[in-house]
Amino acid sequence: MAGGEVQLVDLIKEFDGVRAVDGINLDMPAGEFFSLLGPSGCGKTTTLRMIAGFEQPTSGQILLDGTDMSEVPPHKRQVNTVFQNYALFPHLTVFDNVAFGLQFKKDVAKDETKRRVGEALELVQLTGYEKRRPTQLSGGQQQRVALARALILNPSVLLLDEPLGALDAKLRKRLQVELKALQEALGITFVYVTHDQEEALTMSDRIAVMSNGRIEQLGTPEQVYEEPATAYVADFLGVSNLMDANVTGRGTDGTMVRLGTFDLLAKRGSLNASGEIKITIRPERVRLEPADTSGENYLPAMVERSVYLGNAMQVIVRLASGDSIQVLVQNRGDAVLFQPGESIKAVLPSEALRVVAASAEAASQIEASLN
């Protein structure tokens, strides 16, 4: 299927003078699985609705394969949308739900409709369900019917607005893998809206993390998780230990920071920052050692609480600096049970300790100072 490149140029949407989308610029190549990730109210669904044509931008351009779609009505765009509530017709069979969009297409004969419905249902593994009604299907099956109904129209771009949000956790995980596999098989551009970090990390080729109508960070799942550009991204995407610190100097291969009265070396992040900053480290990167050990970035600490998670142990630790952090200790069959009140050393490895900017604007200023 040809085409499917989406470009958003200086896209702005205002409601009663309030900017829900504030100057977004994005380029989504054809065939990419692209996710808009952020909390409620960040502008991700409004952005999706503008691509679909359900909302008109206040200003800016929406280009599909180089053609501006800003003034084109939804039914004339080569895009289709799968909604969170699926929007299936309860009085119609699965076959008729999937075939619904074809009745508005000219010159689609009954045999052609039957063939295309069969192909669409085979894609989503629902062959044999043609005569059932939505009320006779599980939530996962209804989601697949909605997906088949969108795919039967051969869109260049498929827009998905939190389509797995109503499903239970186990089914959601399975369908995440299936959706990504389907997208790769079809080669269609998927633009996926979600507030679920795991969904975005599991399926996306790239992720735009949004806040207050703007893009905080754009990158691959590995980049936004391992290299958060701002404190917001570090805190929103997964679990992150964020602490206030001060830059005290430059090392040969990193930045010296002071956490409370302790000096630490950070080798990741905005190493050109100065003054008051934030440092962050993921729970799985922290190590816990006996209280009588010492070394680089070893901090005296006390265990506050530990929770057995099965595959890991979550340990809440109070550092001597006063900061409370989470530590994830993998269960390899010999899990150590840390006791509340136990004195230990928390190791924040310099190669995993990041200096992050407080905001996207601060990150831009730091980057500009390097040029």
Side-chain angles (χ1 to χ4, degrees):
M1 186 171 298
E5 181 184 17
V6 179
Q7 294 172 289
L8 308 181
V9 182
D10 297 329
L11 194 62
I12 293 175
K13 179 62 178 179
E14 295 183 350
F15 294 100
D16 297 325
V18 177
R19 286 196 175 184
V21 175
D22 192 4
I24 285 181
N25 289 280
L26 285 174
D27 190 349
M28 310 170 203
E32 185 174 51
F33 196 122
F34 191 95
S35 288
L36 298 170
L37 173 66
S40 297
C42 72
K44 59 187 187 297
T45 296
T46 301
T47 300
L48 194 81
R49 288 177 60 82
M50 284 192 286
I51 298 173
F54 302 140
E55 297 284 356
Q56 289 298 306
T58 303
S59 63
Q61 292 180 300
I62 300 166
L63 305 177
L64 177 59
D65 295 324
T67 301
D68 191 1
M69 294 282 127
S70 302
E71 302 296 329
V72 177
H75 67 280
K76 291 187 177 181
R77 303 186 186 195
Q78 271 298 100
V79 304
N80 218 330
T81 307
V82 178
F83 300 98
Q84 182 176 356
N85 63 2
Y86 314 140
L88 300 178
F89 300 106
H91 62 288
L92 297 182
T93 63
V94 167
F95 182 97
D96 291 334
N97 265 286
V98 175
F100 184 79
L102 292 180
Q103 66 181 293
F104 301 102
K105 300 288 184 179
K106 296 179 180 179
D107 302 323
V108 180
K110 287 185 177 180
D111 288 346
E112 174 72 2
T113 296
K114 184 176 181 180
R115 181 186 66 81
R116 289 173 64 172
V117 170
E119 290 176 350
L121 290 176
E122 185 178 0
L123 276 175
V124 298
Q125 303 173 38
L126 283 181
T127 300
Y129 287 75
E130 289 86 349
K131 295 182 180 180
R132 296 194 187 186
R133 298 187 187 276
T135 55
Q136 297 173 306
L137 303 176
S138 68
Q141 290 167 338
Q142 291 181 38
Q143 189 270 343
R144 294 181 190 190
V145 173
L147 191 60
R149 184 178 60 185
L151 292 173
I152 200 172
L153 297 176
N154 297 323
S156 297
V157 180
L158 188 64
L159 309 175
L160 301 104
D161 188 7
E162 305 201 47
L164 307 183
L167 305 178
D168 65 75
K170 187 174 182 180
L171 181 58
R172 229 174 22 242
K173 290 179 183 293
R174 181 159 62 85
L175 288 180
Q176 287 168 14
V177 176
E178 291 183 8
L179 261 181
K180 178 58 177 173
L182 180 63
Q183 185 268 335
E184 290 177 342
L186 294 173
I188 295 175
T189 306
F190 276 29
V191 182
Y192 194 95
V193 160
T194 182
H195 65 271
D196 188 306
Q197 303 96 333
E198 183 180 335
E199 277 187 8
L201 291 171
T202 299
M203 297 186 290
S204 310
D205 295 316
R206 287 190 305 152
I207 300 170
V209 184
M210 295 187 65
S211 173
N212 297 319
R214 298 181 180 181
I215 304 298
E216 281 278 322
Q217 187 171 354
L218 173 66
T220 65
E222 294 81 5
Q223 287 170 337
V224 294
Y225 183 83
E226 299 289 351
E227 302 174 10
T230 67
Y232 172 85
V233 176
D235 190 43
F236 183 78
L237 200 69
V239 178
S240 187
N241 296 305
L242 273 170
M243 296 162 279
D244 293 316
N246 289 276
V247 173
T248 58
R250 302 281 183 265
T252 55
D253 56 353
T255 295
M256 298 303 301
V257 300
R258 181 158 295 164
L259 182 67
T261 59
F262 299 91
D263 291 319
L264 305 173
L265 176 64
K267 294 183 178 180
R268 304 283 297 278
S270 302
L271 300 182
N272 199 51
S274 60
E276 296 181 357
I277 47 90
K278 288 184 180 291
I279 55 175
T280 182
I281 187 168
R282 297 290 185 185
E284 65 270 21
R285 303 288 194 265
V286 182
R287 300 199 317 270
L288 300 181
E289 301 287 351
D292 58 355
T293 57
S294 62
E296 180 186 79
N297 290 11
Y298 277 59
L299 289 174
M302 183 184 71
V303 175
E304 291 191 327
R305 180 165 48 92
S306 61
V307 180
Y308 181 73
L309 302 177
N311 65 331
M313 180 78 68
Q314 181 192 55
V315 186
I316 308 301
V317 170
R318 176 72 63 177
L319 302 178
S321 63
D323 298 280
S324 182
I325 66 171
Q326 292 187 44
V327 183
L328 199 64
V329 181
Q330 291 299 315
N331 183 359
R332 296 181 175 85
D334 55 352
V336 177
L337 295 178
F338 294 92
Q339 300 299 323
E342 180 181 353
S343 294
I344 55 170
K345 287 286 178 65
V347 185
L348 314 183
S350 58
E351 63 274 9
L353 190 62
R354 295 186 63 84
V355 177
V356 295
S359 65
E361 290 80 5
S364 298
Q365 292 173 6
I366 294 171
E367 185 177 348
S369 69
L370 295 173
N371 298 327

